[in-house]
PDB file of all heavy atoms in Angstrom:
ATOM      1  N   TRP A 102      89.126  84.436  90.574  1.00 94.00           N
ATOM      2  CA  TRP A 102      89.591  85.172  89.450  1.00 94.00           C
ATOM      3  C   TRP A 102      88.624  85.251  88.243  1.00 94.00           C
ATOM      4  O   TRP A 102      88.121  86.240  87.737  1.00 94.00           O
ATOM      5  CB  TRP A 102      90.985  84.759  88.962  1.00 94.00           C
ATOM      6  CG  TRP A 102      91.428  85.576  87.719  1.00 94.00           C
ATOM      7  CD1 TRP A 102      91.471  85.042  86.492  1.00 94.00           C
ATOM      8  CD2 TRP A 102      91.759  86.889  87.625  1.00 94.00           C
ATOM      9  NE1 TRP A 102      91.908  86.015  85.593  1.00 94.00           N
ATOM     10  CE2 TRP A 102      92.252  87.108  86.334  1.00 94.00           C
ATOM     11  CE3 TRP A 102      92.010  87.922  88.582  1.00 94.00           C
ATOM     12  CZ2 TRP A 102      92.673  88.377  85.902  1.00 94.00           C
ATOM     13  CZ3 TRP A 102      92.517  89.195  88.154  1.00 94.00           C
ATOM     14  CH2 TRP A 102      92.856  89.306  86.787  1.00 94.00           C
ATOM     15  N   ARG A 103      88.222  83.995  87.862  1.00 92.00           N
ATOM     16  CA  ARG A 103      87.337  83.897  86.736  1.00 92.00           C
ATOM     17  C   ARG A 103      85.891  84.435  87.138  1.00 92.00           C
ATOM     18  O   ARG A 103      85.395  83.994  88.217  1.00 92.00           O
ATOM     19  CB  ARG A 103      87.162  82.423  86.320  1.00 92.00           C
ATOM     20  CG  ARG A 103      86.422  82.252  85.034  1.00 92.00           C
ATOM     21  CD  ARG A 103      86.668  81.000  84.328  1.00 92.00           C
ATOM     22  NE  ARG A 103      86.090  80.937  83.004  1.00 92.00           N
ATOM     23  CZ  ARG A 103      85.268  80.063  82.539  1.00 92.00           C
ATOM     24  NH1 ARG A 103      84.988  78.967  83.248  1.00 92.00           N
ATOM     25  NH2 ARG A 103      84.848  80.097  81.337  1.00 92.00           N
ATOM     26  N   PHE A 104      85.439  85.395  86.570  1.00 94.00           N
ATOM     27  CA  PHE A 104      84.165  86.001  86.780  1.00 94.00           C
ATOM     28  C   PHE A 104      84.236  86.987  88.046  1.00 94.00           C
ATOM     29  O   PHE A 104      83.228  87.527  88.395  1.00 94.00           O
ATOM     30  CB  PHE A 104      83.075  84.949  86.991  1.00 94.00           C
ATOM     31  CG  PHE A 104      82.882  84.023  85.934  1.00 94.00           C
ATOM     32  CD1 PHE A 104      82.873  82.670  86.143  1.00 94.00           C
ATOM     33  CD2 PHE A 104      82.744  84.496  84.563  1.00 94.00           C
ATOM     34  CE1 PHE A 104      82.725  81.727  85.135  1.00 94.00           C
ATOM     35  CE2 PHE A 104      82.594  83.578  83.556  1.00 94.00           C
ATOM     36  CZ  PHE A 104      82.578  82.203  83.793  1.00 94.00           C
ATOM     37  N   SER A 105      85.449  87.117  88.638  1.00 95.00           N
ATOM     38  CA  SER A 105      85.594  88.110  89.685  1.00 95.00           C
ATOM     39  C   SER A 105      84.581  88.079  90.745  1.00 95.00           C
ATOM     40  O   SER A 105      84.006  89.062  91.226  1.00 95.00           O
ATOM     41  CB  SER A 105      85.578  89.607  89.009  1.00 95.00           C
ATOM     42  OG  SER A 105      86.466  89.656  87.919  1.00 95.00           O
TER      43      SER A 105
ATOM     44  N   LEU B   4      80.528 102.472  87.508  1.00 97.00           N
ATOM     45  CA  LEU B   4      79.271 101.862  87.230  1.00 97.00           C
ATOM     46  C   LEU B   4      78.233 102.767  87.924  1.00 97.00           C
ATOM     47  O   LEU B   4      78.276 103.160  89.078  1.00 97.00           O
ATOM     48  CB  LEU B   4      79.250 100.414  87.816  1.00 97.00           C
ATOM     49  CG  LEU B   4      80.208  99.487  87.296  1.00 97.00           C
ATOM     50  CD1 LEU B   4      80.046  98.127  87.929  1.00 97.00           C
ATOM     51  CD2 LEU B   4      80.226  99.415  85.764  1.00 97.00           C
ATOM     52  N   CYS B  22      72.166  99.002  86.756  1.00 98.00           N
ATOM     53  CA  CYS B  22      73.663  99.262  86.780  1.00 98.00           C
ATOM     54  C   CYS B  22      74.143  99.374  85.441  1.00 98.00           C
ATOM     55  O   CYS B  22      74.075  98.527  84.516  1.00 98.00           O
ATOM     56  CB  CYS B  22      74.263  97.953  87.502  1.00 98.00           C
ATOM     57  SG  CYS B  22      76.128  98.030  87.573  1.00 98.00           S
ATOM     58  N   SER B  23      74.667 100.679  85.135  1.00 98.00           N
ATOM     59  CA  SER B  23      75.014 101.006  83.855  1.00 98.00           C
ATOM     60  C   SER B  23      76.464 101.214  83.773  1.00 98.00           C
ATOM     61  O   SER B  23      77.115 101.924  84.655  1.00 98.00           O
ATOM     62  CB  SER B  23      74.261 102.255  83.448  1.00 98.00           C
ATOM     63  OG  SER B  23      74.746 102.698  82.094  1.00 98.00           O
ATOM     64  N   GLY B  24      77.113 100.583  82.695  1.00 98.00           N
ATOM     65  CA  GLY B  24      78.578 100.712  82.546  1.00 98.00           C
ATOM     66  C   GLY B  24      79.033 101.046  81.244  1.00 98.00           C
ATOM     67  O   GLY B  24      78.350 101.849  80.537  1.00 98.00           O
ATOM     68  N   SER B  25      80.035 100.332  80.774  1.00 97.00           N
ATOM     69  CA  SER B  25      80.509 100.566  79.425  1.00 97.00           C
ATOM     70  C   SER B  25      81.123  99.340  78.819  1.00 97.00           C
ATOM     71  O   SER B  25      81.044  98.254  79.436  1.00 97.00           O
ATOM     72  CB  SER B  25      81.626 101.634  79.478  1.00 97.00           C
ATOM     73  OG  SER B  25      82.698 101.122  80.225  1.00 97.00           O
ATOM     74  N   ALA B  26      81.589  99.457  77.589  1.00 97.00           N
ATOM     75  CA  ALA B  26      82.090  98.269  76.867  1.00 97.00           C
ATOM     76  C   ALA B  26      83.227  97.630  77.578  1.00 97.00           C
ATOM     77  O   ALA B  26      83.455  96.408  77.479  1.00 97.00           O
ATOM     78  CB  ALA B  26      82.524  98.714  75.474  1.00 97.00           C
ATOM     79  N   SER B  27      84.017  98.397  78.390  1.00 97.00           N
ATOM     80  CA  SER B  27      85.233  97.711  78.960  1.00 97.00           C
ATOM     81  C   SER B  27      84.938  97.068  80.291  1.00 97.00           C
ATOM     82  O   SER B  27      85.755  96.235  80.795  1.00 97.00           O
ATOM     83  CB  SER B  27      86.299  98.794  79.241  1.00 97.00           C
ATOM     84  OG  SER B  27      85.773  99.823  80.167  1.00 97.00           O
ATOM     85  N   ASN B  28      83.706  97.269  80.829  1.00 98.00           N
ATOM     86  CA  ASN B  28      83.358  96.519  82.117  1.00 98.00           C
ATOM     87  C   ASN B  28      82.150  95.623  81.796  1.00 98.00           C
ATOM     88  O   ASN B  28      82.232  94.437  81.360  1.00 98.00           O
ATOM     89  CB  ASN B  28      83.208  97.482  83.195  1.00 98.00           C
ATOM     90  CG  ASN B  28      82.496  98.682  82.880  1.00 98.00           C
ATOM     91  OD1 ASN B  28      81.296  98.773  82.586  1.00 98.00           O
ATOM     92  ND2 ASN B  28      83.176  99.900  82.935  1.00 98.00           N
ATOM     93  N   ILE B  29      80.948  96.157  81.952  1.00 98.00           N
ATOM     94  CA  ILE B  29      79.769  95.385  81.821  1.00 98.00           C
ATOM     95  C   ILE B  29      79.600  94.794  80.385  1.00 98.00           C
ATOM     96  O   ILE B  29      79.109  93.711  80.118  1.00 98.00           O
ATOM     97  CB  ILE B  29      78.489  96.060  82.259  1.00 98.00           C
ATOM     98  CG1 ILE B  29      78.544  96.363  83.660  1.00 98.00           C
ATOM     99  CG2 ILE B  29      77.201  95.310  81.885  1.00 98.00           C
ATOM    100  CD1 ILE B  29      77.354  97.235  84.237  1.00 98.00           C
ATOM    101  N   GLY B  30      80.097  95.562  79.330  1.00 97.00           N
ATOM    102  CA  GLY B  30      79.979  95.033  78.054  1.00 97.00           C
ATOM    103  C   GLY B  30      80.914  93.897  77.664  1.00 97.00           C
ATOM    104  O   GLY B  30      80.708  93.226  76.708  1.00 97.00           O
ATOM    105  N   SER B  31      81.901  93.626  78.563  1.00 97.00           N
ATOM    106  CA  SER B  31      82.840  92.542  78.343  1.00 97.00           C
ATOM    107  C   SER B  31      82.943  91.505  79.362  1.00 97.00           C
ATOM    108  O   SER B  31      83.430  90.393  79.090  1.00 97.00           O
ATOM    109  CB  SER B  31      84.172  93.139  78.166  1.00 97.00           C
ATOM    110  OG  SER B  31      84.253  94.178  77.252  1.00 97.00           O
ATOM    111  N   ASN B  32      82.397  91.786  80.558  1.00 97.00           N
ATOM    112  CA  ASN B  32      82.544  90.936  81.764  1.00 97.00           C
ATOM    113  C   ASN B  32      81.274  90.767  82.548  1.00 97.00           C
ATOM    114  O   ASN B  32      80.294  91.623  82.461  1.00 97.00           O
ATOM    115  CB  ASN B  32      83.619  91.443  82.666  1.00 97.00           C
ATOM    116  CG  ASN B  32      85.034  91.559  81.899  1.00 97.00           C
ATOM    117  OD1 ASN B  32      85.627  90.580  81.557  1.00 97.00           O
ATOM    118  ND2 ASN B  32      85.506  92.760  81.709  1.00 97.00           N
ATOM    119  N   VAL B  33      81.141  89.671  83.273  1.00 97.00           N
ATOM    120  CA  VAL B  33      79.941  89.398  83.962  1.00 97.00           C
ATOM    121  C   VAL B  33      79.870  90.355  85.209  1.00 97.00           C
ATOM    122  O   VAL B  33      80.783  90.972  85.593  1.00 97.00           O
ATOM    123  CB  VAL B  33      79.888  87.962  84.573  1.00 97.00           C
ATOM    124  CG1 VAL B  33      80.008  86.975  83.346  1.00 97.00           C
ATOM    125  CG2 VAL B  33      81.093  87.738  85.476  1.00 97.00           C
ATOM    126  N   VAL B  34      78.569  90.572  85.575  1.00 98.00           N
ATOM    127  CA  VAL B  34      78.284  91.464  86.749  1.00 98.00           C
ATOM    128  C   VAL B  34      77.963  90.565  87.975  1.00 98.00           C
ATOM    129  O   VAL B  34      77.305  89.549  87.877  1.00 98.00           O
ATOM    130  CB  VAL B  34      77.180  92.344  86.417  1.00 98.00           C
ATOM    131  CG1 VAL B  34      76.672  93.124  87.620  1.00 98.00           C
ATOM    132  CG2 VAL B  34      77.568  93.245  85.227  1.00 98.00           C
ATOM    133  N   ASN B  35      78.446  91.018  89.045  1.00 98.00           N
ATOM    134  CA  ASN B  35      78.127  90.388  90.345  1.00 98.00           C
ATOM    135  C   ASN B  35      77.460  91.431  91.260  1.00 98.00           C
ATOM    136  O   ASN B  35      77.714  92.588  91.155  1.00 98.00           O
ATOM    137  CB  ASN B  35      79.281  89.912  91.045  1.00 98.00           C
ATOM    138  CG  ASN B  35      80.044  88.789  90.234  1.00 98.00           C
ATOM    139  OD1 ASN B  35      79.484  87.810  89.789  1.00 98.00           O
ATOM    140  ND2 ASN B  35      81.343  89.030  89.933  1.00 98.00           N
ATOM    141  N   LYS B  51      77.832  86.075  88.422  1.00 97.00           N
ATOM    142  CA  LYS B  51      77.826  85.678  86.949  1.00 97.00           C
ATOM    143  C   LYS B  51      76.518  86.152  86.313  1.00 97.00           C
ATOM    144  O   LYS B  51      75.837  85.323  85.645  1.00 97.00           O
ATOM    145  CB  LYS B  51      78.095  84.166  86.753  1.00 97.00           C
ATOM    146  CG  LYS B  51      79.674  83.900  87.150  1.00 97.00           C
ATOM    147  CD  LYS B  51      79.882  82.357  87.093  1.00 97.00           C
ATOM    148  CE  LYS B  51      79.477  81.620  88.281  1.00 97.00           C
ATOM    149  NZ  LYS B  51      79.802  80.285  88.343  1.00 97.00           N
ATOM    150  N   ASP B  52      76.193  87.253  86.553  1.00 97.00           N
ATOM    151  CA  ASP B  52      74.961  88.024  85.998  1.00 97.00           C
ATOM    152  C   ASP B  52      73.695  87.419  86.546  1.00 97.00           C
ATOM    153  O   ASP B  52      72.781  88.311  86.985  1.00 97.00           O
ATOM    154  CB  ASP B  52      74.826  87.678  84.445  1.00 97.00           C
ATOM    155  CG  ASP B  52      75.982  88.315  83.653  1.00 97.00           C
ATOM    156  OD1 ASP B  52      76.546  89.331  84.133  1.00 97.00           O
ATOM    157  OD2 ASP B  52      76.303  87.803  82.513  1.00 97.00           O
ATOM    158  N   ARG B  67      71.858  90.714  82.469  1.00 98.00           N
ATOM    159  CA  ARG B  67      72.876  91.578  81.747  1.00 98.00           C
ATOM    160  C   ARG B  67      72.557  91.763  80.319  1.00 98.00           C
ATOM    161  O   ARG B  67      72.370  90.688  79.724  1.00 98.00           O
ATOM    162  CB  ARG B  67      74.314  91.213  82.082  1.00 98.00           C
ATOM    163  CG  ARG B  67      75.353  92.088  81.446  1.00 98.00           C
ATOM    164  CD  ARG B  67      76.754  91.644  81.818  1.00 98.00           C
ATOM    165  NE  ARG B  67      77.092  90.324  81.422  1.00 98.00           N
ATOM    166  CZ  ARG B  67      77.990  89.999  80.512  1.00 98.00           C
ATOM    167  NH1 ARG B  67      78.606  90.917  79.842  1.00 98.00           N
ATOM    168  NH2 ARG B  67      78.298  88.719  80.197  1.00 98.00           N
ATOM    169  N   SER B  68      72.654  92.939  79.725  1.00 97.00           N
ATOM    170  CA  SER B  68      72.417  93.062  78.349  1.00 97.00           C
ATOM    171  C   SER B  68      73.238  94.362  77.905  1.00 97.00           C
ATOM    172  O   SER B  68      72.988  95.387  78.421  1.00 97.00           O
ATOM    173  CB  SER B  68      70.965  93.252  77.948  1.00 97.00           C
ATOM    174  OG  SER B  68      70.714  93.527  76.629  1.00 97.00           O
ATOM    175  N   GLY B  69      74.139  94.143  76.883  1.00 97.00           N
ATOM    176  CA  GLY B  69      74.877  95.217  76.402  1.00 97.00           C
ATOM    177  C   GLY B  69      75.803  95.675  77.581  1.00 97.00           C
ATOM    178  O   GLY B  69      76.582  94.938  78.150  1.00 97.00           O
ATOM    179  N   THR B  70      75.655  97.009  77.835  1.00 98.00           N
ATOM    180  CA  THR B  70      76.592  97.630  78.834  1.00 98.00           C
ATOM    181  C   THR B  70      75.692  97.905  80.113  1.00 98.00           C
ATOM    182  O   THR B  70      76.056  98.745  80.956  1.00 98.00           O
ATOM    183  CB  THR B  70      77.181  98.922  78.317  1.00 98.00           C
ATOM    184  OG1 THR B  70      76.126  99.779  77.910  1.00 98.00           O
ATOM    185  CG2 THR B  70      78.168  98.610  77.138  1.00 98.00           C
ATOM    186  N   SER B  71      74.591  97.158  80.412  1.00 98.00           N
ATOM    187  CA  SER B  71      73.854  97.395  81.549  1.00 98.00           C
ATOM    188  C   SER B  71      73.506  96.044  82.176  1.00 98.00           C
ATOM    189  O   SER B  71      73.446  95.025  81.467  1.00 98.00           O
ATOM    190  CB  SER B  71      72.536  98.184  81.187  1.00 98.00           C
ATOM    191  OG  SER B  71      72.810  99.486  80.800  1.00 98.00           O
ATOM    192  N   ALA B  72      73.212  96.129  83.504  1.00 98.00           N
ATOM    193  CA  ALA B  72      72.716  94.980  84.263  1.00 98.00           C
ATOM    194  C   ALA B  72      71.614  95.414  85.135  1.00 98.00           C
ATOM    195  O   ALA B  72      71.486  96.678  85.400  1.00 98.00           O
ATOM    196  CB  ALA B  72      73.912  94.355  85.049  1.00 98.00           C
ATOM    197  N   ALA B  90      79.039  95.098  90.562  1.00 98.00           N
ATOM    198  CA  ALA B  90      80.556  95.127  90.431  1.00 98.00           C
ATOM    199  C   ALA B  90      80.889  94.327  89.115  1.00 98.00           C
ATOM    200  O   ALA B  90      80.165  93.423  88.851  1.00 98.00           O
ATOM    201  CB  ALA B  90      81.167  94.537  91.587  1.00 98.00           C
ATOM    202  N   ALA B  91      82.010  94.729  88.517  1.00 98.00           N
ATOM    203  CA  ALA B  91      82.517  93.995  87.371  1.00 98.00           C
ATOM    204  C   ALA B  91      83.958  94.300  87.145  1.00 98.00           C
ATOM    205  O   ALA B  91      84.465  95.263  87.705  1.00 98.00           O
ATOM    206  CB  ALA B  91      81.711  94.410  86.150  1.00 98.00           C
ATOM    207  N   TRP B  92      84.602  93.431  86.430  1.00 98.00           N
ATOM    208  CA  TRP B  92      86.069  93.716  86.081  1.00 98.00           C
ATOM    209  C   TRP B  92      86.055  94.686  84.890  1.00 98.00           C
ATOM    210  O   TRP B  92      85.191  94.619  84.032  1.00 98.00           O
ATOM    211  CB  TRP B  92      86.686  92.493  85.677  1.00 98.00           C
ATOM    212  CG  TRP B  92      88.178  92.605  85.496  1.00 98.00           C
ATOM    213  CD1 TRP B  92      88.870  92.797  84.342  1.00 98.00           C
ATOM    214  CD2 TRP B  92      89.210  92.678  86.622  1.00 98.00           C
ATOM    215  NE1 TRP B  92      90.234  92.896  84.676  1.00 98.00           N
ATOM    216  CE2 TRP B  92      90.404  92.835  86.047  1.00 98.00           C
ATOM    217  CE3 TRP B  92      89.013  92.543  87.987  1.00 98.00           C
ATOM    218  CZ2 TRP B  92      91.589  93.007  86.696  1.00 98.00           C
ATOM    219  CZ3 TRP B  92      90.306  92.626  88.654  1.00 98.00           C
ATOM    220  CH2 TRP B  92      91.531  92.877  88.137  1.00 98.00           C
ATOM    221  N   ASP B  93      86.936  95.634  84.921  1.00 97.00           N
ATOM    222  CA  ASP B  93      87.132  96.653  83.844  1.00 97.00           C
ATOM    223  C   ASP B  93      88.398  96.290  83.164  1.00 97.00           C
ATOM    224  O   ASP B  93      89.455  96.400  83.740  1.00 97.00           O
ATOM    225  CB  ASP B  93      87.045  98.029  84.413  1.00 97.00           C
ATOM    226  CG  ASP B  93      87.004  99.094  83.415  1.00 97.00           C
ATOM    227  OD1 ASP B  93      88.033  99.142  82.526  1.00 97.00           O
ATOM    228  OD2 ASP B  93      86.007  99.799  83.295  1.00 97.00           O
ATOM    229  N   ASP B  94      88.283  96.054  81.893  1.00 97.00           N
ATOM    230  CA  ASP B  94      89.472  95.663  81.088  1.00 97.00           C
ATOM    231  C   ASP B  94      90.419  96.795  80.854  1.00 97.00           C
ATOM    232  O   ASP B  94      91.681  96.669  80.752  1.00 97.00           O
ATOM    233  CB  ASP B  94      89.078  95.002  79.786  1.00 97.00           C
ATOM    234  CG  ASP B  94      88.295  93.659  79.938  1.00 97.00           C
ATOM    235  OD1 ASP B  94      88.668  93.046  81.017  1.00 97.00           O
ATOM    236  OD2 ASP B  94      87.647  93.301  79.116  1.00 97.00           O
ATOM    237  N   ASN B  95      89.894  98.047  80.763  1.00 96.00           N
ATOM    238  CA  ASN B  95      90.655  99.199  80.604  1.00 96.00           C
ATOM    239  C   ASN B  95      91.440  99.606  81.852  1.00 96.00           C
ATOM    240  O   ASN B  95      92.633  99.950  81.786  1.00 96.00           O
ATOM    241  CB  ASN B  95      89.857 100.404  80.044  1.00 96.00           C
ATOM    242  CG  ASN B  95      89.384 100.243  78.599  1.00 96.00           C
ATOM    243  OD1 ASN B  95      89.900  99.366  77.880  1.00 96.00           O
ATOM    244  ND2 ASN B  95      88.512 101.174  78.185  1.00 96.00           N
ATOM    245  N   LEU B  96      90.777  99.601  82.956  1.00 96.00           N
ATOM    246  CA  LEU B  96      91.375  99.900  84.179  1.00 96.00           C
ATOM    247  C   LEU B  96      92.175  98.787  84.808  1.00 96.00           C
ATOM    248  O   LEU B  96      93.018  98.939  85.676  1.00 96.00           O
ATOM    249  CB  LEU B  96      90.248 100.352  85.181  1.00 96.00           C
ATOM    250  CG  LEU B  96      89.514 101.593  84.848  1.00 96.00           C
ATOM    251  CD1 LEU B  96      88.368 101.774  85.843  1.00 96.00           C
ATOM    252  CD2 LEU B  96      90.396 102.882  84.767  1.00 96.00           C
ATOM    253  N   ASN B  97      91.939  97.619  84.186  1.00 95.00           N
ATOM    254  CA  ASN B  97      92.620  96.385  84.729  1.00 95.00           C
ATOM    255  C   ASN B  97      92.413  96.197  86.167  1.00 95.00           C
ATOM    256  O   ASN B  97      93.319  95.943  86.962  1.00 95.00           O
ATOM    257  CB  ASN B  97      94.100  96.477  84.417  1.00 95.00           C
ATOM    258  CG  ASN B  97      94.746  95.010  84.489  1.00 95.00           C
ATOM    259  OD1 ASN B  97      94.070  94.018  84.294  1.00 95.00           O
ATOM    260  ND2 ASN B  97      96.046  94.985  84.617  1.00 95.00           N
ATOM    261  N   GLY B  98      91.102  96.438  86.576  1.00 96.00           N
ATOM    262  CA  GLY B  98      90.796  96.355  87.986  1.00 96.00           C
ATOM    263  C   GLY B  98      89.367  96.173  88.247  1.00 96.00           C
ATOM    264  O   GLY B  98      88.511  96.204  87.202  1.00 96.00           O
ATOM    265  N   VAL B 100      85.548  97.195  89.562  1.00 97.00           N
ATOM    266  CA  VAL B 100      84.846  98.469  89.707  1.00 97.00           C
ATOM    267  C   VAL B 100      83.526  98.120  90.382  1.00 97.00           C
ATOM    268  O   VAL B 100      82.869  97.177  90.049  1.00 97.00           O
ATOM    269  CB  VAL B 100      84.616  99.228  88.419  1.00 97.00           C
ATOM    270  CG1 VAL B 100      85.924  99.879  87.881  1.00 97.00           C
ATOM    271  CG2 VAL B 100      84.009  98.353  87.289  1.00 97.00           C
TER     272      VAL B 100
END
Side-chain angles (χ1 to χ4, degrees):
Chain A
W102 175 256
R103 190 161 188 230
F104 305 128
S105 307
Chain B
L4 304 181
C22 176
S23 177
S25 66
S27 63
N28 41 67
I29 296 178
S31 306
N32 299 296
V33 298
V34 174
N35 302 303
K51 291 177 275 185
D52 297 333
R67 177 172 65 106
S68 178
T70 59
S71 294
W92 189 261
D93 190 294
D94 292 335
N95 285 352
L96 297 173
N97 201 22
V100 289

